Amino acid sequence: MPELSICMPSNRNLAQSRAAIDSAIAYCEARDAVLIVSDNSGDPEKRAHFHNRSPRLTWIDAGNASPFANMRLALDAATTPFVMPMGDDDEIHAVEGQPTFDLAGLPYDYMGVLPVSVVFAEKHGTMHSKAFALTDEDPGERMGQYIGGAKGNNSLYYSMFRRDVFSALLHDFVEHHPTKGMYCDWALLLALICYGKMAHDPGTVFRYNMGNWDSAEKIGDMYVDLYRNAGLPAEAIKFDSLLMYLDTFVFAMRQGSPVPPDQRQRLGRIVTNRLLGSFIQKVANAPEAYDGTVRHLATMALEEPDSFVEFQIAMMMVDRLQPGLKDRYVTFVRTLMAPAGTGA
């Protein structure tokens, strides 16, 4: 029986998505996996082309679902123990001569498997590749290794994860996050890294299309669009590390986290030191970019020994980005951290 489902939300038309879908079908046939495409493109030619294309392919007509809701539809259709998200302008390939990774034998303290990630753009060709595992016992060390190895992009979000954990996390995000912004992929992956180790599969190559991010100008515009589309002002870029900290902290510490309760206080301290510390340093390096309240709160957080109090201070800081955002985060925290059955 297949162990892996590739879950692809697809908004592009046939011409723009064909290479991605064809590569995923070929990979599934080579690796005994299945492909689930949740299509909200509205392109009848695309649906007709892939009708009965392969027994490995499940096609979902997603109507006009939003991007993350479309991803959720694909995940909800998966029944395999592991899932792998995939974009419809990316490609995936099985390396000839390399054996299929034994997902069924993955130790319990591993959250998933990282492929070889090759970043490319039509303008530049292959830009760089990443190939590593995250096997340190300490979640902070795993986060640090990933951030250092990511080379400025989060392409390894497209990896193999335990379905029950990944699906529950994405549901919590889609249903409860204050902005539901697509910039949150970093926090989602960092939370998964907090949950457990990640192995490496040298026999799977994921080609991540960096075409929308292939110049400094495009990168700046894309970040502004990500925040604007999430309902945040353009200056959110100055608060990016604060937003990443808040989201990672909640996702890592949420009630549904597989991290044992007796380890969560230590995990909260690790996440705070690693990520909130980065924002405080950013404020210290460019104090003129932030108002007096943010500077004062950053100093308070720096002097506070309790990570949960620091988190509360961070929520006050995010209100300086957008009034009312703190209250939305409070609701988010209460919903995700409340014990099951107790409500918010």
Side-chain angles (χ1 to χ4, degrees), residues 136-153:
D136 199 286
E137 295 293 335
D138 184 83
E141 292 301 317
R142 293 196 299 269
M143 280 196 295
Q145 184 185 356
Y146 178 74
I147 292 170
K151 299 181 180 178
N153 69 76

Side-chain angles (χ1 to χ4, degrees), residues 92-120:
I92 186 169
H93 300 283
V95 178
E96 188 174 352
Q98 285 281 356
T100 301
F101 191 94
D102 180 18
L103 290 170
L106 194 69
Y108 75 94
D109 58 341
Y110 280 72
M111 266 307 108
V113 181
L114 304 172
V116 178
S117 179
V118 176
V119 175
F120 76 98

Side-chain angles (χ1 to χ4, degrees), residues 79-341:
T79 58
T80 54
F82 290 84
V83 294
M84 182 178 193
M86 179 174 174
D88 66 351
D89 61 343
D90 301 321
E91 296 177 13
I92 186 169
H93 300 283
V95 178
E96 188 174 352
Q98 285 281 356
T100 301
F101 191 94
D102 180 18
L103 290 170
L106 194 69
Y108 75 94
D109 58 341
Y110 280 72
M111 266 307 108
V113 181
L114 304 172
V116 178
S117 179
V118 176
V119 175
F120 76 98
E122 184 177 351
K123 179 179 177 182
H124 301 292
T126 298
M127 298 167 69
H128 58 256
S129 63
K130 297 172 278 192
F132 54 84
L134 300 169
T135 59
D136 199 286
E137 295 293 335
D138 184 83
E141 292 301 317
R142 293 196 299 269
M143 280 196 295
Q145 184 185 356
Y146 178 74
I147 292 170
K151 299 181 180 178
N153 69 76
N154 197 31
S155 61
L156 281 170
Y157 171 79
Y158 300 100
S159 295
M160 306 170 199
F161 301 103
R162 295 191 185 276
R163 175 177 59 86
D164 55 349
V165 178
F166 186 83
S167 181
L169 176 62
L170 199 83
H171 269 269
D172 278 347
F173 168 72
V174 171
E175 294 165 14
H176 303 298
H177 189 269
T179 72
K180 300 176 176 60
M182 294 187 72
Y183 63 87
C184 296
D185 60 338
W186 276 94
L188 291 166
L189 183 51
L190 290 178
L192 289 161
I193 291 170
C194 286
Y195 297 160
K197 304 171 190 175
M198 297 292 292
H200 171 60
D201 176 13
T204 297
V205 173
F206 191 92
R207 286 178 54 80
Y208 175 72
N209 190 341
M210 193 87 167
N212 290 330
W213 307 79
D214 62 4
S215 69
E217 183 180 2
K218 281 187 180 180
I219 289 172
D221 291 343
M222 284 295 294
Y223 274 120
V224 169
D225 286 344
L226 285 176
Y227 292 122
R228 182 183 294 118
N229 292 339
L232 297 175
E235 67 175 359
I237 189 67
K238 296 190 304 185
F239 291 81
D240 57 351
S241 51
L242 177 65
L243 293 166
M244 187 189 300
Y245 161 67
L246 288 171
D247 295 337
T248 304
F249 189 96
V250 177
F251 290 143
M253 306 289 283
R254 66 191 240 280
Q255 186 64 28
S257 166
V259 177
D262 62 349
Q263 297 180 20
R264 293 192 186 173
Q265 183 172 358
R266 177 175 176 271
L267 179 59
R269 167 53 54 197
I270 289 170
V271 173
T272 298
N273 287 348
R274 173 72 61 177
L275 300 180
L276 181 58
S278 175
F279 177 69
I280 292 173
Q281 187 62 52
K282 197 172 180 179
V283 175
N285 290 343
E288 71 284 353
Y290 302 90
D291 66 25
T293 300
V294 170
R295 295 196 300 270
H296 174 67
L297 291 170
T299 300
M300 286 179 58
L302 187 64
E303 297 170 351
E304 175 56 54
D306 188 316
S307 61
F308 286 92
V309 175
E310 286 183 280
F311 178 80
Q312 293 171 333
I313 294 171
M315 288 197 294
M316 289 190 281
M317 284 193 278
V318 86
D319 218 45
R320 304 303 296 177
L321 167 62
Q322 185 179 70
L325 189 54
K326 173 182 71 69
D327 292 339
R328 291 155 64 193
Y329 265 99
V330 168
T331 300
F332 181 46
V333 171
R334 287 176 175 169
T335 301
L336 264 62
M337 292 190 178

Side-chain angles (χ1 to χ4, degrees), residues 41-63:
S41 69
D43 180 4
E45 181 185 7
K46 176 181 174 184
R47 182 171 183 176
H49 176 83
F50 287 106
H51 181 65
N52 290 332
R53 167 69 171 76
S54 170
R56 299 279 175 177
L57 172 62
T58 296
W59 196 272
I60 299 171
D61 184 353

